[in-house]
Amino acid sequence: MKTIRLFFLLLCFCFSHQAFAQHVFPDVVDNCYLDQFVYETDEILAKLDNEKIIEVVTASWDEKTKKNAEGILGFQVLVDNRGTSCLMSIRNETNIKTKKMNLVSSINDNLKWPRMQQKVSVIVVMEFKDGEITMKRMGTKDMKTLTEVGGEGN
């Protein structure tokens, strides 16, 4: 009986760890259907210009907010084979409250990608400094370390 209970606990632990591992950032948004998807690793699979991504993410912000934003914003988007976005997780280290950013509605409703062969997890890191916004696309091979994928303008 103890062996069955131990096996069950171990099984639950493994599945909960695997489910959590799908989310890259600590603030999880639970509105995506997470079946099978791939992470970008060496190359960008979900192609969209950086300026378009920045435009959509900041579209609901007023000019004062954009100008005064400082810090780092990371987010993970699941892109399905139709090019639809679903915000999965966020790390907000900026001077703007996450709720004020309206990320869920801005990204899920307005960030459209070209059609894909499979679902892809897109990881974006934006830096806000001195009124400027820079952006990097990140990928992972080992589900532990993020590395930059692609170059400027993607």
Side-chain angles (χ1 to χ4, degrees), residues 24-27 72-76 89-94 98:
V24 174
F25 297 114
D27 296 335
I72 305 287
L73 172 66
F75 56 91
Q76 177 187 14
S89 65
I90 305 164
R91 169 171 253 142
N92 182 8
E93 296 177 358
T94 70
T98 304

Side-chain angles (χ1 to χ4, degrees), residues 23-95:
H23 295 95
V24 174
F25 297 114
D27 296 335
V28 174
V29 181
D30 285 324
N31 64 348
C32 303
Y33 178 65
L34 302 177
D35 53 352
Q36 291 184 327
F37 62 87
V38 297
Y39 289 93
E40 294 178 315
T41 55
D42 295 331
E43 65 178 300
I44 291 176
L45 302 174
K47 300 191 184 313
L48 195 62
D49 187 65
N50 284 356
E51 292 304 315
K52 178 64 177 172
I53 298 170
I54 292 169
E55 176 187 317
V56 169
V57 168
T58 62
S60 68
W61 304 5
D62 59 44
E63 287 304 315
K64 183 179 178 184
T65 301
K66 288 180 194 177
K67 183 180 176 187
N68 294 329
E70 295 287 331
I72 305 287
L73 172 66
F75 56 91
Q76 177 187 14
V77 177
L78 183 63
V79 181
D80 70 16
N81 59 347
R82 295 170 302 178
T84 303
S85 295
C86 187
L87 184 62
M88 290 177 63
S89 65
I90 305 164
R91 169 171 253 142
N92 182 8
E93 296 177 358
T94 70
N95 60 342

Side-chain angles (χ1 to χ4, degrees), residues 111-127:
L111 192 57
K112 305 298 181 201
W113 305 77
R115 287 189 165 271
M116 309 282 229
Q117 296 263 323
Q118 58 192 340
K119 285 185 177 182
V120 177
S121 172
V122 174
I123 303 166
V124 174
V125 176
M126 293 181 171
E127 181 177 13

